[in-house]
Amino acid sequence: MKALTVRQPWAFAIAALGKSVENRTWNTHYRGLLAIHAGSRWDSDEAVRRVGELTGVTIVTTDTAAIVAVVDLVSVHNSATCIRPVEERHEHDDGPFTCSRWAIGSRVDNGMHHWVLGTRRQLAYPIACKGRQGLWDLPAYVEADVLAQISTTAGLRYGSPSDLINPEETP
């Protein structure tokens, strides 16, 4: 299984808060299951503030240096081609009418790639693992633990973003 290291609070936002787009400066042709690895370092205070603005959740502490979720990477598109039907558009500070409130970049600034994340499975028990840059392969023993957790409902904290009735009450 492929994995992607994402700094906190973004990894938590993917795992538990329904973050549907991961912004990257590079493209990938990979599609399929993608393990989300919470990096050992946190992003800026501004990132924590931004997640709070988008979700109403203030993240103080959460897992790091561990696999925290598995998502389906369903597509990737350049921000310059990020056009969606009116009912699916979101207008926000990062640019009008992008594919998601989580998306950054615009039709003018085409340096970003929006990795569109489908079904998400947050692990009930994060699995300690050293991360890497870029897309990387999980070690076999970590992959086995991840697959064991996602194969049962007992291994899930939440099944989908709609399961989060009140995000302010999530752990």
Side-chain angles (χ1 to χ4, degrees):
M1 179 184 305
K2 294 290 185 190
L4 181 69
T5 298
V6 179
R7 287 185 180 179
Q8 292 291 18
W10 304 115
F12 182 82
I14 291 169
L17 301 176
K19 184 173 189 266
S20 57
V21 168
E22 172 60 12
N23 300 288
R24 293 282 150 167
T25 57
W26 49 280
N27 193 7
T28 182
H29 295 287
Y30 177 78
R31 303 294 181 270
L33 289 180
L34 181 64
I36 300 300
H37 175 267
S40 60
R41 292 184 297 169
W42 277 68
D43 205 340
S44 66
D45 290 343
E46 172 64 20
V48 174
R49 185 193 62 72
R50 182 75 175 143
V51 170
E53 282 180 0
L54 291 171
T55 65
V57 175
T58 300
I59 302 168
V60 178
T61 185
T62 189
D63 300 295
T64 57
I67 304 298
V68 295
V70 175
V71 299
D72 294 320
L73 178 57
V74 296
S75 68
V76 177
H77 60 267
N78 189 282
S79 61
T81 61
C82 188
I83 300 174
R84 293 291 174 259
V86 173
E87 64 276 5
E88 296 177 17
R89 293 179 183 176
H90 303 273
E91 186 167 9
H92 51 80
D93 293 344
D94 293 324
F97 308 120
T98 57
C99 60
S100 166
R101 63 188 178 148
W102 300 100
I104 61 173
S106 69
R107 293 182 54 77
V108 177
D109 170 24
N110 63 3
M112 295 304 294
H113 295 273
H114 299 164
W115 293 30
V116 180
L117 310 176
T119 303
R120 143 191 83 67
R121 303 152 199 91
Q122 183 180 16
L123 301 185
Y125 307 101
I127 301 166
C129 179
K130 183 176 180 179
R132 292 172 182 74
Q133 292 184 341
L135 274 180
W136 48 278
D137 293 312
L138 284 179
Y141 70 94
V142 174
E143 182 174 348
D145 288 349
V146 167
L147 291 173
Q149 282 197 53
I150 67 172
S151 68
T152 66
T153 56
L156 298 176
R157 286 187 184 172
Y158 309 104
S160 71
S162 62
D163 292 340
L164 295 171
I165 296 170
N166 183 355
E168 295 175 307
E169 296 178 6
T170 59

